[in-house]
Amino acid sequence: MSLSKHTDAAFQKCINPDCAAEFDRGQALFKCPECGELLDTQYNWDKIAVPKKLRNFGQRWATRDSPLDFSGVWRFRELLDFCPDEHKVTIGEGQTVLQQNCAVAQHLGMKADRLYLQYEGLNPSGSFKDNGMAAAFSHAMMVGAKSCACASTGNTSASVALYAHSCGLKCTVFVGSGRIAFGKLSQAMDYGAQTIQILGDFDDCMRQVQSVCSRLSLYLLNSLNPFRLEGQKTIMYRILEGLGWQVPDWIVVPGGNLGNSSAFGKAFLELKQLGLIERIPRLAIVNATGADTLTDLVNNKKLVWNEGKVDQAIIDDYYADLTARNFSPRTCASAIEIARPVNLKKCLRSIDVCNGVVRAVTDEEIVDAKAIIGKYGLGCEPASAATIAGLKHLLDEGIVEKDERVACVLTGHPLKDPNLTVGYHKDRQGKFSNPPVEAPNDLEEIIKLIR
Ligand code: F0G
């Protein structure tokens, strides 16, 4: 991606091609100080000893008694080489599985062996965020940060709280009051974060946290942080690894603040440039209909990356209209209840790189898909289930073929949001509800009930 004036192996660069300012990797900036656009982490690859073949990374399984080889993030360290080993942070993130799931595939009418579920709920805090935090906290340690903060729909706050306490950083998390699932809120409190509930939604929290961080010089851990997104690239490396280093036809991911989709496109672009893969998979990003800014902007307003010259007027008009209508997003998938995604432009770049598509699915579709993933798979939280609901749309439309190989990223653990799951089953809210049966305390009566 880079022809740079920077001679260091890694540096930061503004994504706006008219600015393209470069900064040292040792700075904690989070937005371009010159034009306010997003920053990328970039590499001078000729200064990095990247393995010649992806499968060489697999050799690190043999030396997993070393914490950096055990980490599902740092196992791939040459592909995110911005931090010396002595500052690298790991608490065992990225021990995930790529599950081939024939039953869900058949439910969707796909060829049985073509669907894979990348289960990120196995991470230490129960979501994919830990991949990003391992990288971002390493950068925080490298720059000597003492205190940190984030805004969150829940999982970021849980992950930040966990990593902050293991790194000895003070930590404040901002969440929208009543907008986050209880599993996640319980984690933030239990891991010792100061939790500030703002009377507003995620977008309000995101705005406030940026001001707080710049006023009080706190280290920001949202996905505006380009080093965090480097960690999230490894989710894609592990999908390739799970497929014997083959590239799938599609990656399907939920879209909220659009950090994952941004990171995934960058991961594949870099692998292609390095000659480590021959082709780039297509990317499908799935919004909830109650928080569908990306879908609306891409599918209806025709917003495109345009080599970095994104039509800002379309975005400004769109957000002005949201403000005029006093719009606040609403979906049962609270993790992706976001109307002003901060990584929008990087996500447009990923759509360009991966020939991507965007869809929105209803809450009803999300909860039914979640029940199917629970019944036939490892389960997941509501936002993660948007992938299977979105895939169903794409199969029905003939955009994804029944025999294409698809990997859906299940971003979070089912226990993150038990209230929603219990409500769905107990109160018979959906097609796949599986309510408990009341029984008298009597053996014969109980036996009659067993099916
Ligand atoms: N899935 C889950 C479980 C999430 O927690 C999030 C985001 C997403 C999907 C969306 O990912 O932002 O990369 O598009 N959660 C953030 C949070 C916003 O604060 O926990 P994205």
Side-chain angles (χ1 to χ4, degrees), residues 128-129 151-156 184 202 232 254-260 335-336 338 381 383-384 411-412:
F128 74 92
K129 302 285 179 182
S152 185
T153 56
N155 281 324
T156 300
K184 307 174 188 182
F202 172 82
Q232 289 171 219
N257 222 6
L258 306 180
N260 266 339
I336 51 174
I338 296 173
E381 67 166 281
S384 317
T411 44

Side-chain angles (χ1 to χ4, degrees), residues 285-288 291-302 318 358-361:
I285 305 163
V286 188
N287 281 155
D292 62 352
T293 297
L294 179 74
T295 311
D296 222 0
L297 285 174
V298 170
N299 293 352
N300 302 328
K301 308 278 189 271
K302 307 296 173 202
Y318 194 84
V358 184
R359 289 292 179 274
V361 294

